[in-house]
């Protein structure tokens, strides 16, 4: 009995150990067999097949209605559209007349004269209140802020359980494929990924701790770079990451590198291609162990909770690091929080006051393979990691933009907005002016009073 159990365990763990060893060797060499890309291409074909099955089901379900009812509905729709066109109206039920920017200004697109608030007479009518009530309802319906902190909507089902539409129950084939996918993700991919993740973290802590005892020299820098790349590539393989880096000639060699922020996984993604110095708050526990191990190998900037609020101290330490060309480039996420892979919110000006040259990076994840966004208000770090490990894969594109230099007489806020605009344009993201900290705090009274003043200016009264 013992011999049979030993044989079974050997048959199970030998291939797994071989795969982990292969992942370690390929990570150390920076090579890939291309299996993950082929796996991603296969999943896209399965997603397409599932989308076709869902479309076929919807078409069949729609045809169950009687022809007479369908014809009546089509006639009603045609009459409605025809009436709207004759009156010069578009087909939208609610039209957004006024939008409020984060800086307190009002953005008013072209409007029909009969609905233009700027054409009001000097006499104020009580009915004018309804116009502003309508604008308020529009702002609630099209809330640009909270939409940044919710999961990105998918155009097609990706066989994950995040959707509540129950696509897995509309067809026997889809049900079987969905059950098979759950088995593969939770009982095959997850154990393998957990082992690779533990191996990568162990190597990261052990290698940096050993390198930390070496004296400062070029050898220490080369060993740290090799160990860092190897560790982060192993961690990326634990997520089945398929990464595509564009314009690698623009990689930062020193200075400040800024990027949009979707998840803490962003650090692993970027560190697979280059080495960076990290900036952040000092932690305790396991994360603190990792931070101390990293600091032994190279220069990182960790702040105590009491020091984070001292802007001058933070700026001074960043300035000292940037002025030393022998140190690694600093990786900063100026949004200060995670956004849902669709938008870029306001950049904090601190890092743009320190350096006159910024190296922008745009990161865009493919949501079809899994949601990379970390909603810290709803899930902890471990839950987020578990969500990533149980997704199909982590597919991302990274663009290294040309370095941007601060113009003469350009303030830090304007410079930050200019860099943010380029990152949004290259990554295909929506450029928003809102502060990302609105996810955690209440709206300031000054932000409320400014739009109120702007609204009051629209009323032509004596």
């Amino acid at each position: 009995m013992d011999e049979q159990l030993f044989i079974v365990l050997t048959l199970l763990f030998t291939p797994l150990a071989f795969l982990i060893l292969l992942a370690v060797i390929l990570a150390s060499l920076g090579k890939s067999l291309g299996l993950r890309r082929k796996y991603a291409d296969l999943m896209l074909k399965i997603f397409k097949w599932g989308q076709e099955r869902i479309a076929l089901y919807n078409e069949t379900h729609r045809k169950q209605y009687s022809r007479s009812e369908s014809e009546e509905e089509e006639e009603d729709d045609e009459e409605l559209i025809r009436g709207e066109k004759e009156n010069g109206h578009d087909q939208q039920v609610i039209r957004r007349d006024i939008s409020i920017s984060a800086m307190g200004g009002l953005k008013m697109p072209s409007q029909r004269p009969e609905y233009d608030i700027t054409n009001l007479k000097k006499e104020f009518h009580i009915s004018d209140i309804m116009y502003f009530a309508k604008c308020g309802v529009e702002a609630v319906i099209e809330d640009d802020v909270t939409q940044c902190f919710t999961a990105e909507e998918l155009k097609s089902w990706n066989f994950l359980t995040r959707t509540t539409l129950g696509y897995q129950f509309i067809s026997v084939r889809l049900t079987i494929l969905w059950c098979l996918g759950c088995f593969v993700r939770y009982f095959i991919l997850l154990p393998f990924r957990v082992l690779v993740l533990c191996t990568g973290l162990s190597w990261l802590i052990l290698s940096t701790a050993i390198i930390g005892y070496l004296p400062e020299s070029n050898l220490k820098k080369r060993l740290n770079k090799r160990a860092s790349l190897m560790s982060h590539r192993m961690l990326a393989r634990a997520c089945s990451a398929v990464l595509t880096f564009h314009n690698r000639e623009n990689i930062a060699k020193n200075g400040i590198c800024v990027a949009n922020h979707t998840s803490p996984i962003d650090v692993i993604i970027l560190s697979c291609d280059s080495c960076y110095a990290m900036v952040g708050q000092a932690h305790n526990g396991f994360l603190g162990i990792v931070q101390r191990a990293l600091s032994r190998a190279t220069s990182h900037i960790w702040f105590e909770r009491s020091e984070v609020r001292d802007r001058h101290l933070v700026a001074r330490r960043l300035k000292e690091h940037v002025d030393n060309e022998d140190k690694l480039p600093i990786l900063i996420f100026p949004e200060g929080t995670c956004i849902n892979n669709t938008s870029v919110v306001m950049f904090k000006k601190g890092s743009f006051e320190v350096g006159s040259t910024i190296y922008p990076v745009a990161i865009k994840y493919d949501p079809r393979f899994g949601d990379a966004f970390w909603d810290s208000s709803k899930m902890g770090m471990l839950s987020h990691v578990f969500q990533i490990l149980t997704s199909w894969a982590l597919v991302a594109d990274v663009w290294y933009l040309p370095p941007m230099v601060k113009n003469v007489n350009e303030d830090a806020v304007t410079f930050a907005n200019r860099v943010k605009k380029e990152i949004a344009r290259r990554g295909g993201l929506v450029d928003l002016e809102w502060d990302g900290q609105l996810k955690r705090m209440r709206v300031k009274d000054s932000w409320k009073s400014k739009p109120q003043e702007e609204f009051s200016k629209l009323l032509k009264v004596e």
Side-chain angles (χ1 to χ4, degrees):
M1 186 65 181
D2 294 337
E3 294 181 358
Q4 294 178 352
L5 180 60
F6 176 76
I7 294 174
V8 172
L9 293 177
T10 302
L11 293 176
L12 289 176
F13 287 100
T14 300
L16 188 60
F18 173 77
L19 291 176
I20 295 177
L21 179 61
L22 180 62
V24 171
I25 295 175
L26 293 176
S28 61
L29 298 176
K31 303 295 182 180
S32 176
L33 299 179
L35 297 179
R36 283 171 294 165
R37 292 191 180 274
K38 293 180 180 179
Y39 162 73
D41 294 338
L42 176 62
M43 293 308 304
L44 289 178
K45 294 180 180 179
I46 296 177
F47 296 159
K48 182 179 180 181
W49 178 84
Q51 185 178 3
E52 293 175 352
R53 296 294 302 179
I54 294 173
L56 179 61
Y57 169 82
N58 293 335
E59 181 67 19
T60 304
H61 186 69
R62 186 183 65 84
K63 290 182 178 180
Q64 293 179 358
Y65 294 98
S66 62
R67 181 178 298 274
S68 59
E69 293 179 351
S70 299
E71 291 177 355
E72 290 178 1
E73 292 177 357
E74 291 176 359
E75 291 177 359
D76 294 339
D77 293 339
E78 291 177 359
E79 291 179 0
L80 179 61
I81 295 174
R82 189 182 306 111
E84 290 177 343
K85 290 183 178 179
E86 291 176 356
N87 295 329
H89 299 172
D90 55 24
Q91 300 181 26
Q92 293 182 344
V93 178
I94 296 180
R95 177 172 180 168
R96 188 75 176 269
D97 290 327
I98 296 180
S99 61
I100 307 175
S101 70
M103 306 307 294
L106 303 183
K107 300 179 181 179
M108 301 184 62
S110 58
Q111 307 165 18
R112 300 187 298 275
E114 63 271 22
Y115 289 96
D116 192 352
I117 192 65
T118 59
N119 291 335
L120 287 175
K121 297 179 180 180
K122 291 184 178 181
E123 295 80 6
F124 176 76
H125 299 282
I126 192 66
S127 60
D128 297 334
I129 298 176
M130 300 305 299
Y131 181 84
F132 296 106
K134 171 178 175 287
C135 295
V137 173
E138 292 171 353
V140 173
I141 294 175
E142 299 183 16
D143 185 3
D144 294 333
V145 180
T146 56
Q147 290 179 357
C148 299
F149 308 123
T150 56
E152 182 179 1
E153 296 182 1
L154 298 179
K155 297 181 179 179
S156 61
W157 185 42
N158 60 355
F159 289 87
L160 296 178
T161 55
R162 194 181 77 192
T163 178
T164 58
L165 297 179
Y167 287 134
Q168 64 269 28
F169 302 119
I170 67 176
S171 169
V172 176
R173 295 181 180 179
L174 287 179
T175 301
I176 295 175
L177 196 58
W178 175 73
C179 293
L180 181 61
C182 290
F183 177 81
V184 170
R185 288 188 294 111
Y186 286 94
F187 295 97
I188 297 179
L189 292 179
L190 180 60
F192 173 75
R193 290 172 175 176
V194 169
L195 289 175
V196 176
L197 176 64
C198 294
T199 304
L201 287 175
S202 300
W203 174 250
L204 176 64
I205 296 174
L206 180 62
S207 61
T208 52
I210 296 175
I211 294 174
Y213 288 103
L214 298 178
E216 293 295 332
S217 61
N218 292 330
L219 175 62
K220 182 178 180 179
K221 294 179 181 179
R222 290 195 299 269
L223 290 177
N224 175 66
K225 180 178 180 180
R226 176 61 62 183
S228 176
L229 290 174
M230 180 179 175
S231 302
H232 289 97
R233 286 167 180 170
M234 290 174 61
L235 296 177
R237 280 166 168 78
C239 307
S240 299
V242 181
L243 310 177
T244 304
F245 297 95
H246 308 270
N247 308 115
R248 298 186 70 253
E249 65 276 6
N250 296 324
I251 295 180
K253 301 298 188 297
N254 48 51
I256 297 178
C257 174
V258 300
N260 58 299
H261 199 24
T262 304
S263 164
I265 307 296
D266 298 339
V267 176
I268 298 177
I269 299 301
L270 294 177
S271 297
C272 288
D273 199 39
S274 183
C275 291
Y276 298 93
M278 307 299 173
V279 179
Q281 180 178 318
H283 293 271
N284 298 320
F286 177 76
L287 190 56
I289 296 175
V290 176
Q291 289 180 332
R292 289 189 292 272
L294 292 174
S295 298
R296 292 192 190 99
T298 188
S299 177
H300 297 275
I301 302 178
W302 310 119
F303 297 99
E304 298 296 336
R305 184 180 297 271
S306 59
E307 296 177 337
V308 173
R309 298 181 181 179
D310 190 345
R311 294 183 64 253
H312 297 288
L313 176 61
V314 174
R316 179 173 60 82
R317 294 186 62 181
L318 289 177
K319 183 68 174 176
E320 292 174 355
H321 187 104
V322 172
D323 291 341
N324 191 340
E325 296 183 355
D326 294 332
K327 293 186 177 182
L328 296 173
I330 301 178
L331 177 59
I332 299 178
F333 301 103
E335 291 170 298
T337 187
C338 295
I339 310 299
N340 70 347
N341 194 43
T342 63
S343 312
V344 181
V345 298
M346 184 181 72
F347 279 8
K348 303 298 176 60
K349 65 178 182 178
S351 57
F352 299 89
E353 293 176 331
V354 175
S356 60
T357 302
I358 299 293
Y359 294 85
V361 177
I363 308 174
K364 178 66 175 179
Y365 294 93
D366 192 335
R368 294 174 294 181
F369 296 90
D371 187 14
F373 168 56
W374 181 34
D375 188 353
S376 57
S377 62
K378 295 182 179 180
M379 66 174 66
M381 185 62 186
L382 292 179
S383 298
H384 177 61
V385 172
F386 181 78
Q387 177 180 284
I388 296 294
L389 295 179
T390 54
S391 298
W392 292 115
L394 193 67
V395 181
D397 285 272
V398 178
W399 290 273
Y400 297 105
L401 280 67
M404 301 183 65
V405 181
K406 188 176 182 180
N407 297 327
V408 180
N409 299 326
E410 184 179 29
D411 59 14
V413 175
T414 305
F415 186 30
N417 289 333
R418 185 159 59 90
V419 173
K420 177 170 67 75
K421 182 178 180 180
E422 287 300 314
I423 291 177
R425 180 190 63 80
R426 193 64 190 90
L429 305 169
V430 180
D431 185 7
L432 299 177
E433 299 176 349
W434 297 104
D435 187 353
Q437 296 303 320
L438 286 173
K439 179 172 67 174
R440 300 183 178 90
M441 67 181 185
R442 298 176 62 88
V443 179
K444 297 179 180 179
D445 293 336
S446 59
W447 295 355
K448 298 179 183 179
S449 60
K450 184 63 177 179
Q452 291 171 356
E453 294 176 1
E454 295 292 336
F455 273 122
S456 64
K457 295 177 182 180
L458 298 177
L459 298 178
K460 299 181 179 180
V461 294
E462 295 181 349

